[in-house]
Amino acid sequence: MSNLQYVSLDEIEPDKFIPILNKASTRKHLVTHDEFDSDLAEKWIRDKIEIDDLEGCIVRAITVDDELVGWCGIQLSELGYEIAIVVDDRSWGIGKMVFRSLISWAHDFGHEVVYIHLLHTRPEYEFLRKISQSVFPTEMIGDRFTTYELNVVDCLAGKKQN
């Protein structure tokens, strides 16, 4: 992987997100929603751009060698700022790199704590458990999640990581 980049969502054609967002391997780990078409993809991007405009938030498309492979961001949730990473299954290996970038951005924004909410259908991630100051179940938007509470400074410093 030679060229990982974070790109403003408005620089990506909305239809390019559809194959990733509608892919079964992606959808099975996300809250149930209608399949995306051109109109829903455009609305989704507008909504994410509004989030990107909020203080302390950022939402970016992820490209590798100029090919769209997903999106990531720091956005607001019921508990505070959350980290979100959605990557096409053919690029799952970039997850930790994207995670480190998000932690760095969270630090730059001055966030002390961020959360990762993983749908209850996902297995527990040992990597996240090790670096979390707390792990607990939550219910939001009509679904159950495993929530990882992360201390940004500790994550940035590599504390608790192997």
Side-chain angles (χ1 to χ4, degrees), residues 9 42-52 59:
L9 293 181
E42 285 180 31
K43 180 187 180 322
W44 178 82
I45 286 176
R46 281 194 311 271
D47 291 347
K48 292 299 180 188
I49 288 171
E50 285 181 15
I51 292 168
D52 185 64
V59 182

Side-chain angles (χ1 to χ4, degrees), residues 6 9 21 29-30 44 48 51 56-62 70-77 80-87 94-95 97-103 105-106 114-118 122 128 145 148 150:
Y6 303 102
L9 293 181
L21 296 174
H29 295 303
L30 300 176
W44 178 82
K48 292 299 180 188
I51 292 168
C57 295
I58 186 170
V59 182
R60 292 290 182 264
I62 305 168
W71 70 275
C72 65
I74 300 171
Q75 48 195 10
L76 287 170
S77 74
Y81 292 100
E82 73 167 343
I83 288 177
I85 301 172
V86 177
V87 177
I94 68 171
M97 252 187 304
V98 174
F99 172 80
R100 284 191 294 272
S101 294
L102 288 165
I103 290 296
W105 296 343
V114 292
Y115 298 90
I116 296 177
H117 306 291
L118 297 182
R122 293 179 79 168
L128 288 176
F145 297 84
Y148 300 84
L150 307 172

Side-chain angles (χ1 to χ4, degrees), residues 31-56:
V31 173
T32 304
H33 58 77
D34 293 335
E35 283 205 10
F36 284 85
D37 58 17
S38 291
D39 291 338
L40 277 177
E42 285 180 31
K43 180 187 180 322
W44 178 82
I45 286 176
R46 281 194 311 271
D47 291 347
K48 292 299 180 188
I49 288 171
E50 285 181 15
I51 292 168
D52 185 64
D53 289 339
L54 297 174
E55 186 175 335

Side-chain angles (χ1 to χ4, degrees), residues 67-157:
E67 181 182 350
L68 179 68
V69 298
W71 70 275
C72 65
I74 300 171
Q75 48 195 10
L76 287 170
S77 74
E78 294 177 15
L79 295 176
Y81 292 100
E82 73 167 343
I83 288 177
I85 301 172
V86 177
V87 177
D88 192 341
D89 59 2
R90 62 195 159 87
S91 298
W92 279 349
I94 68 171
K96 284 187 180 180
M97 252 187 304
V98 174
F99 172 80
R100 284 191 294 272
S101 294
L102 288 165
I103 290 296
S104 179
W105 296 343
H107 182 263
D108 292 347
F109 284 135
H111 302 322
E112 294 179 16
V113 171
V114 292
Y115 298 90
I116 296 177
H117 306 291
L118 297 182
L119 198 61
H120 71 281
T121 57
R122 293 179 79 168
E124 186 175 295
Y125 287 84
E126 188 63 28
F127 164 76
L128 288 176
R129 178 168 279 292
K130 283 182 181 178
I131 64 171
S132 296
Q133 60 186 24
S134 179
V135 179
F136 52 93
T138 51
E139 286 192 29
M140 298 180 291
I141 54 177
D143 226 321
R144 293 175 294 132
F145 297 84
T146 300
T147 296
Y148 300 84
E149 182 181 58
L150 307 172
N151 179 294
V152 173
V153 170
D154 286 352
C155 287
L156 197 62

